[in-house]
Amino acid sequence: MKRLQGTPRIDGFRMPGEFEQHKGTYMIWPERPDNWRLGAKPAQRVFAEVATAISEFEPITVCVSADQFANARQMLPAEVRVVEMSSNDAWVRDCGPSFVTNGKELRGIDWRFNAWGGLVDGLYFPWDKDDAVAQKICELEDADSYRTGGFVLEGGSIHTDGDGTAVVTEECLLSEGRNPHFSKEQIEDMLCNYLNVEKVIWLRRGIYLDETNGHVDNIFCFARPGEALLAWCEDESDPQYEISAENLKILENETDARGRKIKVHKLVLPTPVLITEEESGGVDAIEGTLPRNVGDRLAASYVNFYLVNGGVIFPMFGDKNDERARKTLEKVFPDRRVVGIYAREILLGGGNIHCITQQVPSGGR
Ligand code: KQY
């Protein structure tokens, strides 16, 4: 497949909203023992549950290393397509392509990936295999791609309504480890040209202590144009309270690209989730990888749900707010089946269901 010059905007391609119809979903199989406890066995069981749940709604492909291929194949149902692909870890939202379409043809944006901050504050080294994932998925999808040169970005750090608006956080996109030579205006230009949006809404910060430097996909999500969910904290003594309140204020004072006020639904967070001694003890310590220490607070959020055709797959934490989250999602998405998956094992690796999925929109050739 070709590498394209120019930009999606010039070529008339746009990034759809996740709530739009999908052709399918990609995931990557977890295996590295310095991020996933107990040789990634508990995480693999949850990844298999997520893939199985997605397969009930739309086609799904799981990318797996050569070493893990046989194991993944036997853990996943036959409906799930399994392909061999190398990677450094399992976060396809971030290293996979962001797809754009003109309604007839699909193309990918292959951002440069540097493990959430490169040598400044990245989460592991090296990341070269991850950086090659987007082009490989584009090959499987028969999609030409735009390579963004030195511009670093992860799919979880952007969110669009498919109708001219993108939402990001300053904490992430202005972080030192990504594009320190770009001004805020230059970053905004890149987003407008590659996602083909006219307006970028800048939230301030993401979820408290999110190791991605505050990815937007853990705190904010469009349900449809003009309507969104925001991760919400009710405990005024918690540092998250101020972060969520600040973002709400920004959203209340904004309009989207079409001039609409955005209706915001509060999705109340679980009570803080901390790493236990047993969980910490199961992770191999390797220099250069973020350690998993006892008592560390994880960036748990129900906003890390994934929208599939006709469904919503959301993470549960065994928390009193799990059922409350389900009710909020059922209210906001009355036409979708809401499926909860106990996802603490994904959280222990540093993300959740949205971070381990990447959609291929419909509208490809
Ligand atoms: O998008 C994400 N939340 C991924 C985080 C990666 C964590 C690596 N340990």
Side-chain angles (χ1 to χ4, degrees):
M1 301 307 302
K2 283 202 295 288
R3 287 300 214 183
L4 300 159
Q5 301 303 318
T7 66
R9 169 169 243 167
I10 291 170
D11 298 340
F13 284 67
R14 68 170 181 114
M15 184 175 169
E18 188 172 305
F19 44 79
E20 296 181 40
Q21 194 73 9
H22 298 183
K23 176 181 171 198
T25 296
Y26 277 82
M27 290 175 64
I28 301 176
W29 191 247
E31 65 172 288
R32 58 184 296 159
D34 57 337
N35 193 52
W36 305 102
R37 73 188 183 111
L38 306 176
K41 290 297 146 205
Q44 288 174 358
R45 283 191 282 276
V46 182
F47 273 58
E49 245 188 276
V50 173
T52 305
I54 292 171
S55 74
E56 287 170 21
F57 294 92
E58 62 189 50
I60 158 119
T61 301
V62 178
C63 304
V64 188
S65 74
D67 285 351
Q68 277 290 317
F69 188 89
N71 177 46
R73 183 57 287 172
Q74 67 85 27
M75 285 182 73
L76 292 162
E79 299 71 54
V80 176
R81 176 170 74 152
V82 181
V83 299
E84 185 184 320
M85 193 180 290
S86 48
S87 66
N88 299 104
D89 203 357
W91 308 101
V92 73
R93 170 70 50 179
D94 291 341
C95 64
S98 302
F99 283 106
V100 289
T101 177
N102 63 358
K104 297 190 287 286
E105 184 188 334
L106 200 64
R107 292 181 177 177
I109 309 171
D110 180 358
W111 314 99
R112 187 165 296 280
F113 178 82
N114 74 354
W116 308 274
L119 298 180
V120 176
D121 60 353
L123 300 177
Y124 48 71
F125 178 88
W127 51 80
D128 55 318
K129 294 191 179 84
D130 279 350
D131 195 27
V133 163
Q135 190 178 15
K136 292 175 182 175
I137 290 180
C138 285
E139 290 287 335
L140 291 173
E141 287 305 314
D142 209 12
D144 293 333
S145 59
Y146 301 91
R147 178 67 166 167
T148 59
F151 191 79
V152 173
L153 190 123
E154 306 95 42
S157 72
I158 50 170
H159 202 67
T160 65
D161 68 354
D163 196 24
T165 313
V167 182
V168 298
T169 68
E170 289 182 357
E171 179 187 354
C172 183
L173 267 75
L174 305 185
S175 65
E176 188 55 29
R178 288 179 173 82
N179 300 294
H181 306 304
F182 281 67
S183 66
K184 187 174 178 182
E185 291 68 35
Q186 288 170 320
I187 291 172
E188 195 163 314
D189 280 349
M190 282 296 288
L191 298 174
C192 290
N193 289 330
Y194 280 86
L195 307 178
N196 198 354
V197 296
E198 287 101 61
K199 175 143 191 186
V200 179
I201 297 177
W202 291 85
L203 302 181
R204 280 277 296 115
R205 288 171 287 171
I207 293 291
Y208 180 59
L209 297 181
D210 190 325
E211 63 198 58
T212 62
N213 309 95
H215 268 188
V216 71
D217 75 341
N218 215 14
I219 197 158
F220 174 91
C221 179
F222 278 112
R224 54 192 65 82
E227 204 169 334
L229 292 114
L230 177 69
W232 191 251
C233 177
E234 293 180 327
D235 177 359
E236 291 187 26
S237 68
D238 189 306
Q240 182 61 46
Y241 180 87
E242 192 199 315
I243 297 172
S244 290
E246 185 178 37
N247 286 335
L248 180 62
K249 207 164 171 191
I250 293 169
L251 291 163
E252 283 173 345
N253 288 312
E254 274 290 2
T255 51
D256 66 15
R258 305 283 163 251
R260 286 176 289 239
K261 292 298 281 181
I262 301 168
K263 180 173 178 186
V264 179
H265 300 272
K266 294 173 179 168
L267 190 50
V268 178
L269 290 156
T271 39
V273 178
L274 311 182
I275 300 180
T276 66
E277 195 166 345
E278 188 191 348
E279 288 165 346
S280 168
V283 180
D284 292 2
I286 291 185
E287 211 182 318
T289 302
L290 191 77
R292 300 281 172 218
N293 298 318
V294 185
D296 280 358
R297 176 166 165 174
L298 296 160
S301 164
Y302 299 110
V303 172
N304 221 280
F305 59 78
Y306 182 52
L307 295 175
V308 281
N309 294 335
V312 182
I313 300 175
F314 82 103
M316 299 193 302
F317 304 100
D319 188 84
K320 65 178 174 49
N321 286 338
D322 286 357
E323 282 314 304
R324 214 171 149 190
R326 181 192 296 278
K327 286 199 177 74
T328 304
L329 292 168
E330 284 173 345
K331 186 184 86 186
V332 176
F333 298 105
D335 301 331
R336 292 175 187 263
R337 182 152 66 89
V338 177
V339 178
I341 291 182
Y342 182 64
R344 184 178 175 104
E345 291 297 336
I346 311 178
L347 182 64
L348 288 169
N352 225 298
I353 292 174
H354 196 255
C355 311
I356 63 165
T357 52
Q358 180 61 292
Q359 74 274 14
V360 185
S362 300
R365 58 187 169 208

